[in-house]
Amino acid sequence: MSTNLYLVRHGQTKWNVEGRLQGRLDSPLTEIGIEQAKQLGKQLSDIPFQCIYSSSTNRAVETASYLKGERTIDLVKKDSLMEMSFSKWEGRKWSEIQELFPKELDEINNSPENYDAKESQGETLLDVQERSVPFIQDILERHVGENILVVTHSIVIKVLVNYFRGGSIKSVWEGPDTGWASAFKLCFTKDGVKIFYEGNEIS
């Protein structure tokens, strides 16, 4: 018997297209993002999910509503699934962040374990791990043997997948990139966890 956790990133948003960092701020799904969510909903339509949890951010909730479809289960919103906070950086274009905070941006990209968030006044990657992992562990214990759908954000997904692969913060960016409205599937059994991305098992 396995407990199957599906980690889904929200669909494309207006700020994604504009090249702006969202973090805790929000922007609506684009028409493409809505279509991405609907298409993934079709792909997942045959899976009998017993529960759906979503980041409380609108872009994730909207995506989750398309994935829920006709299922008669609650869509539970959780702040612990929100994207990593970048505070002062949020709403800015990546090009502007590169110009104003080159050292910190290089650090989070290339030495994530050393990123201290002093300039952004947001979260570190360890902060994200310490709020998201206990939540996931809790729902895994409460939904043993079930199919769990979680709709969240790119960095949160990377942190969770990295953690369950046994990685440290240093290795958080290793592995597949998370496309819009894409899904990781983590299968938990008594023998451990197997992780799949878009149908392919990753080591």
Side-chain angles (χ1 to χ4, degrees):
M1 179 179 69
S2 67
T3 303
N4 301 310
L5 173 68
Y6 292 77
L7 296 174
V8 172
R9 186 187 178 192
H10 60 80
Q12 183 196 70
T13 70
K14 183 173 182 287
W15 277 11
N16 289 150
V17 175
E18 294 177 0
R20 294 185 187 277
L21 175 59
Q22 293 181 121
R24 294 295 180 87
L25 296 183
D26 211 3
S27 70
L29 297 185
T30 61
E31 290 185 9
I32 290 174
I34 291 170
E35 186 59 31
Q36 290 168 336
K38 288 179 177 179
Q39 288 300 317
L40 182 59
K42 291 178 183 178
Q43 294 174 33
L44 301 178
S45 61
D46 292 335
I47 298 171
F49 290 112
Q50 281 77 28
C51 52
I52 302 179
Y53 295 92
S54 173
S55 157
S56 51
T57 312
N58 287 337
R59 61 188 184 273
V61 173
E62 186 178 358
T63 300
S65 68
Y66 289 113
L67 301 182
K68 179 183 175 184
E70 301 301 316
R71 296 179 180 89
T72 56
I73 52 178
D74 291 334
L75 198 172
V76 181
K77 305 170 190 176
K78 290 292 181 179
D79 290 348
S80 53
L81 293 171
M82 291 179 76
E83 182 58 295
M84 181 172 174
S85 170
F86 288 94
S87 193
K88 287 169 56 179
W89 293 9
E90 294 176 5
R92 297 179 186 267
K93 289 193 174 184
W94 284 106
S95 56
E96 184 182 4
I97 297 169
Q98 174 66 59
E99 183 178 337
L100 294 174
F101 309 101
K103 179 179 178 293
E104 291 74 20
L105 192 58
D106 179 73
E107 196 163 60
I108 193 171
N109 286 330
N110 298 303
S111 304
E113 71 279 12
N114 296 325
Y115 176 72
D116 61 16
K118 285 182 179 177
E119 288 293 335
S120 71
Q121 297 181 9
E123 291 181 295
T124 65
L125 287 148
L126 185 59
D127 290 332
V128 177
Q129 179 172 292
E130 288 180 342
R131 67 170 161 86
S132 62
V133 169
F135 172 76
I136 294 298
Q137 290 173 327
D138 178 61
I139 63 173
L140 288 171
E141 289 174 5
R142 287 193 284 118
H143 298 284
V144 174
E146 297 182 352
N147 296 301
I148 307 165
L149 177 60
V150 169
V151 182
T152 180
H153 306 270
S154 179
I155 295 177
V156 176
I157 291 173
K158 287 180 178 294
V159 166
L160 289 170
V161 169
N162 180 64
Y163 176 84
F164 286 111
R165 290 171 73 183
S168 66
I169 295 298
K170 185 175 183 178
S171 62
V172 72
W173 304 135
E174 296 177 8
D177 283 334
T178 50
W180 294 307
S182 61
F184 277 91
K185 179 183 178 183
L186 284 69
C187 300
F188 296 86
T189 68
K190 59 181 176 58
D191 298 320
V193 57
K194 287 188 175 182
I195 303 175
F196 302 84
Y197 181 62
E198 301 291 85
N200 296 312
E201 185 173 0
I202 63 174
S203 60

